[in-house]
Amino acid sequence: MKHFYVVLPILFLLNSCKENNNLVEVQLPKPEIETSVVYSNPSDTKTNSGPFQLFKINYPFDALEPSIDGKTMEIHYTKHYLSYTNTLNKLIANNPDWQDKNIEELLLFSNEKNNDLKNNAGGYYNHSLFFEILTPKGAKSPKDNLSKAINTEFTSFNLLKNKFISEANKHFGSGWIWLIVKKDGKLEITTSNNQDNPLMSDSKIKGKPILGIDLWEHAYYLKYQNNRRTYIESVFEIINWTVVSKKYNDIIPTNPQ
């Protein structure tokens, strides 16, 4: 019996070696080489003829990463924003009564009786402001007059930020979140549905927007899926408070607190 147990492992090894002689060498695939994504140049996106033009961003579409990914920015700017602008220009061309009005006058004139104008004038204005207040580099918090106003109305910048994010996150459906200056000069956070905004005549809370962030899913779904809160928190990191502060200063002389 002892001999049997010694011979058995030897036979097993010999048989394994024999089988190994019939093995076919398999070539493993080489690791894929990562290729960089090439985006279009924002300045190459042109509107059709008309009085309203795109706000020109001066940075590549992927410059706002990781807050907003390049593909979302490219689609948002070259598809959604461009579509609203072109459609608005077409509406203006077909309606002589609207041709001498600026965008804020058109927004004030917009209502449920002319939904095409309301949706596209709103879409144009809202997106123009959105792209204007974003930047890969800029002041990370407001200063001077706006900072003082925020401390007066919200106690601190952090409390403003927390309330802004909370209101954006609980807004139902598509729309926008705004920081506005009301007629009395006070700041307020408010939201609007679809492409509505606080400049429209039927807005429940009226005022001049100095900051607006898109809450439509096309603005964040590729990167954040349904996590709107994380999207808003990330966008807060790329707000150009220098621009927002200037907008506030431009309004305050006519609306003293």
Side-chain angles (χ1 to χ4, degrees):
M1 293 296 294
K2 291 182 180 180
H3 293 295
F4 174 78
Y5 285 116
V6 171
V7 172
L8 185 60
I10 295 173
L11 291 174
F12 176 78
L13 290 172
L14 289 174
N15 188 53
S16 298
C17 292
K18 183 178 179 182
E19 290 179 356
N20 287 340
N21 289 334
N22 296 324
L23 293 178
V24 177
E25 184 178 358
V26 176
Q27 294 291 333
L28 294 176
K30 295 181 180 180
E32 293 185 5
I33 300 175
E34 292 187 3
T35 57
S36 59
V37 179
V38 178
Y39 299 104
S40 61
N41 188 329
S43 62
D44 292 337
T45 304
K46 308 290 185 183
T47 59
N48 297 336
S49 60
F52 297 105
Q53 300 297 310
L54 300 177
F55 174 80
K56 295 297 182 183
I57 59 176
N58 59 1
Y59 50 81
F61 286 126
D62 59 350
L64 300 180
E65 293 182 351
S67 295
I68 303 179
D69 62 283
K71 179 52 67 176
T72 293
M73 274 293 291
E74 184 176 46
I75 294 172
H76 202 169
Y77 189 86
T78 67
K79 304 298 182 184
H80 296 280
Y81 182 28
L82 180 63
S83 177
Y84 284 118
T85 308
N86 283 335
T87 304
L88 175 60
N89 282 331
K90 185 176 180 180
L91 289 171
I92 299 300
N94 294 330
N95 291 272
D97 292 341
W98 299 343
Q99 291 174 6
D100 61 344
K101 291 179 169 57
N102 63 35
I103 187 61
E104 292 191 14
E105 291 171 331
L106 289 173
L107 290 172
L108 188 62
F109 182 74
S110 301
N111 54 49
E112 298 299 334
K113 294 180 180 179
N114 44 48
N115 263 323
D116 284 346
L117 178 64
K118 183 178 185 179
N119 291 335
N120 290 284
Y124 171 75
Y125 176 91
N126 298 353
H127 283 91
S128 295
L129 178 61
F130 178 64
F131 289 116
E132 185 181 2
I133 56 92
L134 298 180
T135 183
K137 295 180 181 179
K140 297 301 181 182
S141 61
K143 300 183 184 301
D144 303 325
N145 292 338
L146 179 56
S147 179
K148 292 176 184 177
I150 288 173
N151 290 337
T152 298
E153 300 294 332
F154 301 96
T155 306
S156 71
F157 175 66
N158 282 336
L159 288 179
L160 163 75
K161 178 180 178 180
N162 291 338
K163 183 176 181 180
F164 193 93
I165 292 170
S166 177
E167 291 296 317
N169 190 52
K170 71 182 184 182
H171 179 77
F172 183 79
S174 300
W176 292 77
I177 175 82
W178 308 97
L179 178 63
I180 65 172
V181 181
K182 297 190 297 181
K183 189 175 182 179
D184 61 4
K186 293 183 178 180
L187 296 170
E188 184 158 341
I189 295 170
T190 185
T191 60
S192 62
N193 296 324
N194 302 317
Q195 293 299 346
D196 294 358
N197 66 48
L199 290 171
M200 294 179 174
S201 59
D202 57 358
S203 175
K204 293 181 179 179
I205 299 179
K206 295 180 177 61
K208 175 80 171 182
I210 59 174
L211 169 63
I213 296 180
D214 197 339
L215 301 181
W216 285 65
E217 287 186 340
H218 66 243
Y220 62 89
Y221 208 81
L222 286 181
K223 181 176 177 66
Y224 298 99
Q225 283 77 57
N226 64 334
N227 196 339
R228 179 190 283 176
R229 184 180 188 89
T230 302
Y231 155 69
I232 297 294
E233 290 172 344
S234 297
V235 170
F236 238 84
E237 300 302 314
I238 53 173
I239 291 174
N240 189 341
W241 287 100
T242 301
V243 171
V244 178
S245 296
K246 183 180 184 306
K247 288 183 175 296
Y248 177 78
N249 290 337
D250 289 344
I251 297 169
I252 283 306
T254 58
N255 293 296
Q257 293 194 41

